[in-house]
Amino acid sequence: MNIDPPVSTMAEAADPVLAGIRATQAEMVALRHHLHAHPELAFEEFATSDLVAERLASWGYEVHRGLGGTGVVGTLRCGTGTRRLGLRADMDALPIHEQTGLPYASRHAGRMHACGHDGHTAILLAAARELAQARGFDGTLHLIFQPAEEGLGGGRKMVEDGLFDLFPCDAIFALHNMPGFAEGQFGFREGSFMASSDTVIITVRGKGGHGSAPHLSADPVVAAAHLVLALQTVVSRNVDPRDMAVVSVGAIHGGDAPNVIPGEVELRLSVRAYRPEVRALLRERITELAHAQAATLGPRPWWTTAGAIRPWSTTRPARSSPARWRATGWASRR
């Protein structure tokens, strides 16, 4: 992030929102750096939610806490309008050890804002401040700060806790940073936008033994290795090339010693799709391949799922068009 992006004085004069954001830019960059240095994992965003709630309250928002555990909602009403708009950002970090060497790198071992949620939180807080100061709208604004986006279903928990009963919205807008996009570039897509995200755990259970006598064991390592290779054919040979799908084996755990065949091996998969039919096909084929490899080599697969099972996200043209128009106008004045 550049602290001083090339926003011209003429552009700021044409759009006072840009001038307002520019005026608080250094403060918000520092806030983002603070969040990055102090990441918190899913449902543990205590300090982060404290900071968000304090800032919102200081700018005149009605603050509600506790939805989804550490979720925060700030409400601001202006005028007499009946329309209700929601803006949403996520707050949680990932269980990753940061090795970037940045001056604002994580100060907590094994935790890192590697997905940019520190930026999302800072962006929405910057918007919150400007909206509260300018009050250039007529209606009700709900700012939703969600915990536990990274696989544990924090958004679903907020909804189950009554988010939209307490804070009904006619429309909700959100964004996600996209590595590879140039600074100042916005991406929009109508229809399916964010894929479903299923975490699948397959435990291959065999019969352990000594490495010198493999014929007396049922080796789950070999079965797991064959399964990893077989899974690579699901997308390339079972999914229509016009559809999107991902099956990634992100972790393999099994065994502790080179001369001991372990009793089981665990595979952890990330499975993604844009359409429900493809999502169902992926589950079917992964299950079939797991059992087929086990039948061929001996060990038994045990299929489980872990974490939040997130459906795909769909953007309606009627909702994305105003945002696209606004972003296009902003970019043209930079």
Side-chain angles (χ1 to χ4, degrees):
M1 176 185 293
N2 293 333
I3 294 179
D4 293 312
V7 180
S8 69
T9 303
M10 183 178 298
E12 292 177 7
D15 190 340
V17 172
L18 290 181
I21 294 296
R22 182 66 176 271
T24 62
Q25 182 173 312
E27 175 189 351
M28 292 303 161
V29 169
L31 185 148
R32 183 252 162 173
H33 288 174
H34 171 82
L35 292 172
H36 191 90
H38 302 282
E40 296 178 299
L41 301 180
F43 294 123
E44 298 176 1
E45 307 93 339
F46 303 113
T48 303
S49 60
D50 285 345
L51 183 153
V52 167
E54 184 276 327
R55 294 296 180 100
L56 292 177
S58 71
W59 297 329
Y61 286 82
E62 298 175 17
V63 177
H64 184 99
R65 306 185 65 176
L67 296 179
T70 49
V72 180
V73 179
T75 298
L76 188 67
R77 297 179 177 86
C78 291
T80 59
T82 59
R83 290 182 296 178
R84 303 156 302 185
L85 181 70
L87 300 177
R88 170 265 182 196
D90 36 26
M91 302 185 292
D92 57 322
L94 285 163
I96 296 173
H97 186 71
E98 182 165 2
Q99 302 181 60
T100 63
L102 292 168
Y104 53 88
S106 173
R107 300 178 185 176
H108 305 273
R111 299 185 314 203
M112 177 185 177
H113 270 299
C115 198
H117 297 184
D118 53 332
H120 299 168
T121 301
I123 288 169
L124 189 50
L125 285 174
R129 179 166 182 166
E130 174 60 23
L131 288 164
Q133 182 173 342
R135 295 181 179 263
F137 64 93
D138 185 22
T140 300
L141 175 68
H142 298 305
L143 304 185
I144 302 165
F145 291 83
Q146 175 197 322
E149 187 274 342
E150 295 291 356
L152 293 181
R156 177 181 297 170
K157 186 66 168 65
M158 291 188 78
V159 172
E160 292 172 349
D161 287 349
L163 173 62
F164 295 123
D165 296 324
L166 295 169
F167 308 101
C169 297
D170 299 311
I172 295 182
F173 292 88
L175 59 78
H176 202 292
N177 69 86
M178 184 62 69
F181 272 39
E183 179 186 344
Q185 183 177 2
F186 292 85
F188 295 86
R189 177 187 174 97
E190 297 174 356
S192 297
F193 201 145
M194 303 297 288
S196 61
S197 180
D198 298 327
T199 298
V200 176
I201 296 178
I202 303 174
T203 303
V204 182
R205 292 180 177 167
K207 179 183 177 183
H210 198 278
S212 64
H215 61 292
L216 300 179
S217 69
D219 194 338
V221 175
V222 174
H226 277 265
L227 179 55
V228 169
L229 294 176
L231 290 171
Q232 308 312 304
T233 68
V234 174
V235 174
S236 65
R237 291 297 176 265
N238 300 128
V239 176
D240 190 316
R242 294 168 293 183
D243 285 320
M244 169 272 176
V246 172
V247 178
S248 294
V249 181
I252 304 175
H253 299 285
D256 296 303
N259 63 339
V260 176
I261 296 172
E264 66 180 39
V265 173
E266 180 183 85
L267 306 180
R268 298 183 182 181
L269 286 61
S270 179
V271 181
R272 300 169 188 259
Y274 271 147
R275 298 199 301 119
E277 297 84 359
V278 176
R279 190 185 188 197
L281 173 64
L282 295 178
R283 181 182 179 94
E284 176 185 348
R285 289 299 296 139
I286 292 171
T287 304
E288 290 174 349
L289 286 172
H291 286 282
Q293 292 298 322
T296 301
L297 298 169
R300 297 175 298 166
W302 293 77
W303 165 286
T304 60
T305 57
I309 308 301
R310 295 195 297 267
W312 49 94
S313 300
T314 300
T315 302
R316 299 179 182 179
R319 300 305 186 196
S320 65
S321 295
R324 185 195 300 265
W325 172 83
R326 187 70 182 84
T328 301
W330 179 85
S332 67
R333 292 193 294 271
R334 296 185 78 241

